Amino acid sequence: MELGDIFYNKAEYIETASGNKVSRQSVLCGSQNIVLNGKTVIQSDCIIRGDLANVRIGRHCVIASRSVIRPPFKKFSKGVAFFPLHIGDHVFIEEDCVVNAAQIGSYVHIGRNSVIGRRCVLKDCSAIAPNTVLPPETVVPPFTVFSGSPGLYAGELPECTQDLMIDLTRNYYQHFLPIAQVA
Amino acid sequence: MPGAVVCTEAELKGDITIGSRTVVHPKARIIAEGGPIVIGESNLIEEQVLIINRADKTAPEPVTMEIGVNNVFEVGCHCESLRIGDNNVVEAKARVGRQTELSSGCVIGSFCEVNSKEVIPDNTVVYGKKCVRRVQGERPQPQTLQLDFLMKILPNYHHLRKAMKPQSK
């Protein structure tokens, strides 16, 4: 099953040397603290808050429109700090998500309109169904699907999830093609 | 520094008064169509929040929307309520309708929609898929530590709006 081509307006996206495609309409605050490891697609109207803490995103990730990636904060006895957010490789974050997680592993699929609570940890090869709300500090084990509000264990994923996610994100990137706008 | 921290990337339309020590993150939208909005002190308004005083054709005069102190509006929530008390938390992607009024210490959980014409009593928590309610023992803690931290680091990364003189508009 091959994905169809998705076209974007060439003027609207910036393509970096390592192949990241970042929409000009997305808001990357504190871009010096945001690390994109290559071949990542960030679509329009996303908000990535690198000003609060470091954000590290792996290779071949896709962050769809209007998602908010924001590092979580933790209260210490001596004050408050925002924790760095690590996102692994081949992660597909769909539209309208709010991600406050402390760490997202690799090969993770987050469905649309989900809210990932503060300091959640999503291990590799997990999936979050659309419209889920994960309460703060949830740990999602590998090869599981969480759904509902509050997010609860809903099912298991097969062992080939890793290859499926690699295929999905790689194909998405390859089919994400620019067209020069006809003036 | 006592003043409010409002990023220029936040969209503010209309007559809005923001109290001191309030933090408005970028991409928040505060729209005062149907009347002025008065926001109290020490509030935290995160990204993609929509606080809107809608123009109401049935009410010919402008109605002021009042928001108290120490409230937290998390990412992506929508708030149209005309009166919000103190120490409330409206969580991510929640919606509060125009007819509802929040008193103090309420928590509107993620994705919950509260639209009914009522005053939500103190210390109520609305949560879950079916918007179940319960009363909690104490009010949510004010986020002073987070506000202090944000007031220190947001100016490093964002342009901030300057306070306008009260006479000019």
Side-chain angles (χ1 to χ4, degrees):
Chain A
M1 203 178 70
E2 189 77 7
L3 279 176
D5 288 339
I6 303 172
F7 291 106
Y8 63 91
N9 188 353
K10 193 168 184 187
E12 207 187 278
Y13 278 72
I14 304 174
E15 182 160 346
T16 70
S18 42
N20 297 309
K21 296 187 177 165
V22 180
S23 163
R24 281 179 209 273
Q25 282 169 352
S26 59
V27 177
L28 268 60
C29 303
S31 42
Q32 59 264 43
N33 292 336
I34 303 179
V35 177
L36 301 175
N37 266 330
K39 299 221 158 85
T40 302
V41 175
I42 298 186
Q43 296 192 335
S44 59
D45 294 320
C46 292
I47 301 178
I48 303 189
R49 301 298 305 272
D51 53 334
L52 304 171
N54 291 333
V55 176
R56 183 176 221 104
I57 301 184
R59 299 176 56 85
H60 282 109
C61 288
V62 179
I63 300 180
S65 317
R66 296 180 300 278
S67 294
V68 177
I69 312 272
R70 147 193 247 270
F73 81 95
K74 187 172 170 69
K75 241 183 234 181
F76 291 96
S77 50
K78 289 195 184 156
V80 132
F82 276 85
F83 262 50
L85 169 58
H86 291 275
I87 300 185
D89 303 331
H90 298 283
V91 173
F92 197 109
I93 299 180
E94 298 216 18
E95 298 162 349
D96 295 306
C97 291
V98 175
V99 176
N100 270 327
Q103 186 194 345
I104 300 185
S106 307
Y107 318 110
V108 175
H109 187 152
I110 299 183
R112 40 187 330 210
N113 226 358
S114 316
V115 175
I116 313 285
R118 274 182 293 118
R119 292 201 303 285
C120 281
V121 178
L122 275 66
K123 298 285 190 190
D124 298 347
C125 294
S126 49
I128 310 287
N131 294 318
T132 319
V133 175
L134 276 187
E137 317 211 25
T138 323
V139 176
V140 179
F143 297 106
T144 53
V145 181
F146 268 52
S147 81
S149 163
L152 295 172
Y153 172 82
E156 286 205 8
L157 289 175
E159 282 172 18
C160 59
T161 305
Q162 177 169 339
D163 298 307
L164 285 176
M165 288 305 297
I166 295 180
D167 261 351
L168 174 65
T169 47
R170 263 212 194 123
N171 276 332
Y172 194 97
Y173 182 81
Q174 279 168 1
H175 285 281
F176 198 68
L177 300 173
I179 43 167
Q181 182 164 43
V182 180
Chain B
M1 250 198 55
V5 172
V6 180
C7 303
T8 40
E9 296 208 320
E11 184 186 321
L12 303 181
K13 258 195 225 164
D15 184 5
I16 303 171
T17 311
I18 300 186
S20 60
R21 299 182 62 87
T22 300
V23 175
V24 180
H25 283 255
K27 289 296 171 184
R29 294 165 61 203
I30 307 182
I31 301 182
E33 295 179 325
I37 297 183
V38 176
I39 301 184
E41 305 184 354
S42 299
N43 291 303
L44 177 58
I45 302 177
E46 298 189 346
E47 299 89 81
Q48 287 188 352
V49 168
L50 177 58
I51 298 182
I52 179 168
N53 188 354
R54 272 193 209 275
D56 195 0
K57 295 189 184 74
T58 57
E61 302 152 12
V63 187
T64 312
M65 179 190 215
E66 286 176 11
I67 300 183
V69 304
N70 275 322
N71 296 302
V72 175
F73 294 90
E74 291 195 4
V75 180
C77 66
H78 284 218
C79 184
E80 303 184 16
S81 161
L82 287 175
R83 183 148 295 119
I84 297 185
D86 311 328
N87 286 309
N88 298 301
V89 176
V90 185
E91 287 193 359
K93 291 193 189 276
R95 279 166 200 265
V96 184
R98 191 181 171 86
Q99 316 272 38
T100 323
E101 285 183 14
L102 299 180
S103 44
S104 297
C106 305
V107 177
I108 313 287
S110 286
F111 262 114
C112 293
E113 256 193 66
V114 193
N115 271 331
S116 45
K117 185 174 165 60
E118 60 171 317
V119 177
I120 303 209
D122 284 358
N123 291 341
T124 313
V125 180
V126 180
Y127 64 99
K129 211 182 303 189
K130 303 199 181 102
C131 295
V132 192
R133 297 189 190 185
R134 66 176 180 93
V135 180
Q136 61 178 354
E138 52 174 35
R139 47 178 49 179
Q141 290 201 338
Q143 300 280 340
T144 22
L145 284 175
Q146 193 183 173
L147 284 172
D148 284 339
F149 185 84
L150 288 173
M151 290 181 67
K152 264 186 269 170
I153 62 162
L154 278 186
N156 293 338
Y157 289 95
H158 297 274
H159 296 288
L160 301 176
R161 282 182 199 258
K162 301 268 180 246
M164 300 212 306
K165 296 199 190 68
Q167 284 85 12
S168 69
K169 175 56 194 91

